[in-house]
Amino acid sequence: MTKLTTVAMIATGLALGSAASAETWDLPMAYSATNFHSATGAEFAQCVTTGTGGALTLVTHPGGSLFAGGEIKRAIQTGQVNIGERLLSGHQNENILFGFDSIPFLATSFEDSERLFDAAHDTIEAVLEDQNLHMLYSVPWPSQGLYFKKEVNSVADMAGIKFRSYNSATARLAELTGMLPVQIEAAEISQAFATGVAESMISSGATGYDRKVWESLTHFYDVQAWLPRNYMLVNLEAWNGLDESTQNVVNGCAEIAEYAGDWRSIQYTGFTLSKLAENGMVVTPPGEQLATELRAIGEQMTAEWLEKAGAEGQAIIDAYNAGN
Ligand code: PCA
């Protein structure tokens, strides 16, 4: 067959040989391209594309440009896209177990977060498989602190403040502290703070840095509430449709991504907190009263989560505590 004929056949969709199985998958991500999760995702995509010799090409779309954060999981489940990255605790309303990583003051260090993830891994994997999803890797955000545009020394100081939430745990925290929750994607928060739609949030130094929140906010209290996780998820049918050698490459790249993402998250913690301070924010641990009052709220939220999560939730916490 002449070269020209082959080209013509590919062009008319009658592709031959390896070209026949080459696929391109769009990979939506919610956070800005410069964010460390997005950087890890971009490297993962490159690793898969290179490793499969282009048989599977992953094209990342950071910043919520293809699907907003809240839509990514459904898009993968329903096959609108085959792969994407998502903060799973944002779907705690669907299944309370997804919120295991947003229980206040349960696991507040990277080490504890890793152990908590190990304790929850198989349960979360099974819940995802039931939803036509397969987990490739997961990376934690740095621990969560409170941002305000004034000094706050007690829960009473928070009354009436408009609070940006990103999942139901953050919304519940707002309710219990007398604040007014409004759910806003990370990609939209600079705008929300600039226009006064929100005046505070709980998040990492990483997100505060990525979104330059010092333009609107003044205080960061490093309360170290929890470390929520992002997950790289793939549509289960699409995953099962890949041949074994492609799956092996994807798994290898996922392992590297998880390692690199963890490392980046740790490094980014100190860097971003110092950048908040350099840009004029007060970055400080909470005062004693605030810390004590938040702990009491944390205990209530833990009890509420356990009540909803039942035996499966309790088993995660027990397995985690058994390692303490
Ligand atoms: N940043 C994300 C989730 C947790 C975090 O640190 C956000 O604020 O949306």
Side-chain angles (χ1 to χ4, degrees), residues 20-31:
S21 58
E23 290 190 51
T24 298
W25 290 2
D26 288 313
L27 191 166
M29 301 191 287
Y31 303 94

Side-chain angles (χ1 to χ4, degrees), residues 59-214:
V59 180
T60 55
H61 300 270
S65 56
L66 190 59
F67 287 99
E71 299 166 352
I72 289 175
K73 179 169 170 285
R74 175 141 298 278
I76 308 165
Q77 271 174 269
T78 57
Q80 284 174 279
V81 289
N82 284 330
I83 190 167
E85 189 205 40
R86 174 61 178 150
L87 176 95
L88 262 191
S89 65
H91 301 282
Q92 191 173 333
N93 288 339
E94 229 174 81
N95 189 318
I96 188 73
L97 295 170
F98 289 147
F100 81 90
D101 61 10
S102 302
I103 300 172
F105 309 116
L106 176 65
T108 61
S109 66
F110 281 102
E111 292 77 16
D112 285 351
S113 147
E114 204 54 43
R115 287 195 309 103
L116 179 59
F117 180 54
D118 287 346
H121 181 278
D122 293 357
T123 307
I124 296 299
E125 189 169 62
V127 172
L128 289 170
E129 299 240 336
D130 272 352
Q131 297 190 341
N132 196 31
L133 292 167
H134 174 67
M135 183 202 308
L136 289 174
Y137 69 85
S138 167
V139 172
W141 288 90
S143 67
Q144 306 290 289
L146 283 164
Y147 287 87
F148 295 104
K149 54 199 283 190
K150 65 170 191 179
E151 188 180 318
V152 168
N153 295 312
S154 65
V155 165
D157 288 346
M158 302 182 195
I161 291 177
K162 287 179 257 173
F163 181 87
R164 174 263 168 169
S165 64
Y166 62 74
N167 63 15
S168 50
T170 52
R172 183 69 181 135
L173 179 72
E175 280 168 15
L176 292 171
T177 51
M179 297 193 283
L180 311 168
V182 45
Q183 177 114 3
I184 299 169
E185 295 281 346
E188 315 291 337
I189 61 179
S190 311
Q191 171 95 353
F193 290 136
T195 57
V197 169
E199 314 163 288
S200 67
M201 66 172 174
I202 189 163
S203 193
S204 55
T207 290
Y209 171 75
D210 290 340
R211 308 316 306 166
K212 296 189 171 61
V213 298
W214 52 81

Side-chain angles (χ1 to χ4, degrees), residues 1-9 16:
M1 187 183 306
T2 67
K3 209 171 175 187
L4 248 181
T5 322
T6 313
V7 170
M9 288 180 80
L16 294 175

